């Protein structure tokens, strides 16, 4: 009888596992700026940068300074009817809290403040450790976390929200951008650069050279999403944690189909009130008017801001519905098996994952308008019932995309 537990053997392998489809590739050296992509599903396997450590360190240090500046200085000054009103980056959150919109306030706080802060702190911790060549506790977890939280940092979307708000308020007030806003804009660019220059592979190799853990020779290898290590199937039956980064390694996300479907149904249900209820109410000289998402777009069109109107229309109307249909199609294709082209479906999944966050624009616009337009009887803007439902649609579809395991696409096409 050979019913004993597999003995793990750790070694270094020159292979990369694709997270999108589980195919194995040889890790070949890349030139500066080049990247390796999976030939099956198109997922990026690795990106190469020369001098990445010094560059990432410089960008992160600049990021810390910009973050402090964006907090210290006013974001936007608004002038209307002889009154002046200065806002800071978190004024929108305060305005929402005053109106007991706790869920919405938390969502805005997390996506424009907390996540960038955690990201900067995490980057600093990792880069400093590497520069000093020390391996403090929790380093592996921090490195893993940096990539998990990335989609939830929505600074760039917030910035587009600022532009939309400026145009919306153009005819009733004068808006003066502050130092805080410029620092914020620069921080967006700097954070993207810090991230793209961080060589994840090189960091994991430095933390632990061994990246291949097998129980039996020739067994199927599962890629760890946390660090890219390859873990043998037999080891996962005993302990589902990656020996290198300790994150959970799953052959497939458990109940991926059912959980994605449940999130999708919830998002679809919320989609109706999100579009039918008013997203905000404006009281101007005692006259009250409500706007839905669609009427907001129409007003932008009428104001002549065609470009911005299109951006808001695509982000708020087209993207949520397209995302719901795309995930529904992927679930159907996976359930039916051997339907359609797996490569195209994998591409559709990646696009869906990427564009989903952009629907947050309207949530940020309403938050900003509520914070900015507070002139007592002259003009006031209050959030409407749709805004929470709409934020719900965005978050639920984002979670649905994260819960969907793209490897199911390839399972459906293999015997
Ligand atoms: Zn792949
Ligand atoms: Zn790992």
């Amino acid at each position: 009888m050979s019913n004993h537990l597999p003995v793990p053997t750790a070694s270094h392998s020159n292979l990369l596992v694709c997270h999108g489809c589980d195919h194995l590739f040889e890790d070949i050296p890349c030139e500066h700026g080049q990247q390796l992509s999976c030939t099956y599903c198109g997922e990026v396997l690795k990106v190469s940068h020369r001098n990445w450590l010094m560059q990432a360190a410089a960008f992160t240090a600049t990021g810390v300074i910009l973050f402090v500046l964006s907090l210290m200085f006013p974001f936007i000054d608004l002038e209307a009817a002889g009154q002046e009103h200065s806002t800071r980056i978190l004024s929108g959150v305060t305005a929402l809290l005053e109106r007991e919109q706790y869920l919405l306030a938390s969502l805005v706080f997390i996506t424009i403040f907390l996540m960038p802060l955690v990201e900067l702190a995490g980057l600093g911790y990792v880069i400093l450790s590497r520069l000093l060549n020390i391996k403090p506790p929790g380093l592996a977890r921090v490195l893993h976390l940096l990539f998990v939280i990335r989609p939830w940092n929505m600074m760039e979307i917030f910035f587009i929200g600022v532009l939309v708000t400026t145009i919306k308020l153009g005819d009733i007030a004068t808006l003066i951008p502050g130092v805080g806003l410029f620092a914020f804009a620069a921080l967006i660019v700097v954070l993207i650069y810090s991230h793209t220059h961080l060589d994840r592979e090189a960091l994991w190799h430095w933390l632990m050279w061994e990246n291949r853990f097998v129980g039996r020779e020739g067994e199927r290898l599962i890629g760890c999403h946390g660090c890219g290590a390859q873990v043998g199937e037999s080891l996962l039956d005993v302990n589902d944690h990656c020996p290198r980064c300790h994150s959970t390694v799953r052959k497939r996300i458990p109940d991926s189909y059912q959980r994605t479907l449940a999130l999708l149904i919830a998002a679809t249900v919320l989609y109706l009130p999100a579009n039918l209820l008013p997203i905000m109410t404006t009281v101007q000289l005692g006259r009250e008017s409500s706007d839905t998402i669609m009427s907001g777009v129409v007003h932008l069109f009428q104001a002549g801001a065609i470009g911005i109107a299109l951006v808001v229309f695509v982000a708020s109307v087209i993207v949520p519905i397209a995302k719901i249909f795309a995930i529904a199609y992927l679930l159907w294709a996976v359930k039916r098996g051997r339907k359609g082209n797996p490569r195209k479906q994998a591409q559709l999944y990646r696009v869906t994952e990427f564009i989903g966050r952009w629907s947050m624009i309207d949530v940020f616009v309403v938050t900003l308008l509520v914070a900015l337009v507070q002139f007592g009887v002259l003009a006031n803007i209050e959030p409407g019932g749709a805004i929470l439902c709409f934020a719900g649609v965005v978050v639920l579809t984002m979670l649905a995309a994260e819960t969907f395991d793209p490897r199911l696409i390839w399972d459906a096409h293999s015997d």
Side-chain angles (χ1 to χ4, degrees), residues 94-405:
T94 322
L96 288 174
L97 284 176
E98 281 164 5
R99 284 157 187 79
E100 296 180 356
Q101 296 269 1
Y102 300 119
L103 266 176
L104 209 54
S106 321
L107 184 65
V108 176
F109 178 78
I110 290 170
T111 50
I112 67 163
F113 181 80
L114 189 65
M115 287 304 161
L117 177 67
V118 172
E119 218 175 304
L120 271 172
L123 281 166
Y125 191 64
V126 168
I127 290 169
L128 211 60
S129 308
R130 181 64 191 93
L131 281 171
L132 300 171
N133 202 14
I134 48 166
K135 296 172 185 172
L139 193 57
R141 271 184 210 287
V142 175
L143 188 52
H144 177 208
L145 189 75
L146 269 179
F147 290 87
V148 175
I149 63 167
R150 192 78 185 116
W152 297 93
N153 169 358
M154 301 190 183
M155 293 169 77
E156 69 275 35
I157 303 165
F158 182 72
F159 187 74
I160 302 289
V162 173
L163 295 184
V164 176
T165 310
T166 317
I167 288 164
K168 274 189 184 256
L169 290 177
D171 46 352
I172 64 159
T174 317
L175 290 143
I176 305 138
V179 174
L181 183 64
F182 289 114
F184 188 82
L187 177 58
I188 295 172
V189 179
V190 163
L191 260 181
I192 291 173
Y193 272 101
S194 315
H195 244 278
T196 47
H197 282 78
L198 199 71
D199 193 329
R200 204 176 163 191
E201 281 294 312
L203 278 167
W204 281 116
H205 283 180
W206 163 70
L207 263 173
M208 197 194 229
W209 180 243
E210 289 83 7
N211 64 349
R212 187 173 182 270
F213 307 89
V214 286
R216 304 185 185 97
E217 265 321 304
E219 69 175 329
R220 191 159 76 108
L221 296 168
I222 311 292
C224 166
H225 276 226
C227 69
Q230 299 131 45
V231 189
E233 230 179 348
S234 65
L235 296 180
L236 294 177
D237 294 334
V238 187
N239 178 355
D240 62 358
H241 284 87
C242 169
R244 183 154 77 159
C245 73
H246 307 294
S247 63
T248 316
V249 183
R250 286 163 173 155
K251 290 178 201 169
R252 295 293 175 264
I253 297 173
D255 304 320
S256 168
Y257 180 85
Q258 289 85 343
R259 283 165 58 194
T260 310
L261 185 63
L263 288 163
L264 192 67
I265 291 171
T268 314
V269 169
L270 281 180
Y271 186 77
L272 279 178
N275 279 280
L276 297 176
L277 292 176
I279 199 154
M280 64 180 189
T281 307
T282 316
V283 185
Q284 218 173 343
L285 296 167
R287 229 162 24 93
E288 199 181 290
S289 62
S290 289
D291 260 320
T292 58
I293 290 176
M294 203 52 216
S295 71
V297 173
V298 173
H299 286 165
L300 282 172
F301 257 113
Q302 286 166 344
I306 313 284
I308 288 287
L310 274 176
V311 170
V312 177
F313 179 69
V314 171
S316 308
V317 182
I318 304 282
V319 166
I321 198 80
K323 229 185 136 172
I324 288 173
F325 274 108
I327 298 172
Y329 164 73
L330 287 173
L331 286 174
W332 173 81
V334 157
K335 195 74 179 171
R336 293 294 301 270
R338 288 191 172 277
K339 286 277 174 201
N341 179 336
R343 193 185 305 261
K344 290 241 168 68
Q345 289 167 0
Q347 271 167 359
L348 178 68
Y349 172 73
R350 269 203 314 284
V351 172
T352 309
E353 215 185 5
F354 174 77
I355 58 167
R357 318 149 61 234
W358 285 91
S359 304
M360 280 294 282
I361 288 180
D362 249 2
V363 176
F364 292 139
V365 169
V366 173
T367 308
L368 282 159
L369 286 173
V370 171
L372 281 165
V373 186
Q374 296 302 327
F375 293 105
V377 282
L378 282 177
N380 246 317
I381 291 183
E382 294 297 325
I387 191 71
L388 193 60
C389 301
F390 187 73
V393 174
V394 181
V395 171
L396 287 170
T397 48
M398 276 181 77
L399 290 174
E402 279 186 13
T403 318
F404 182 79
D405 196 327

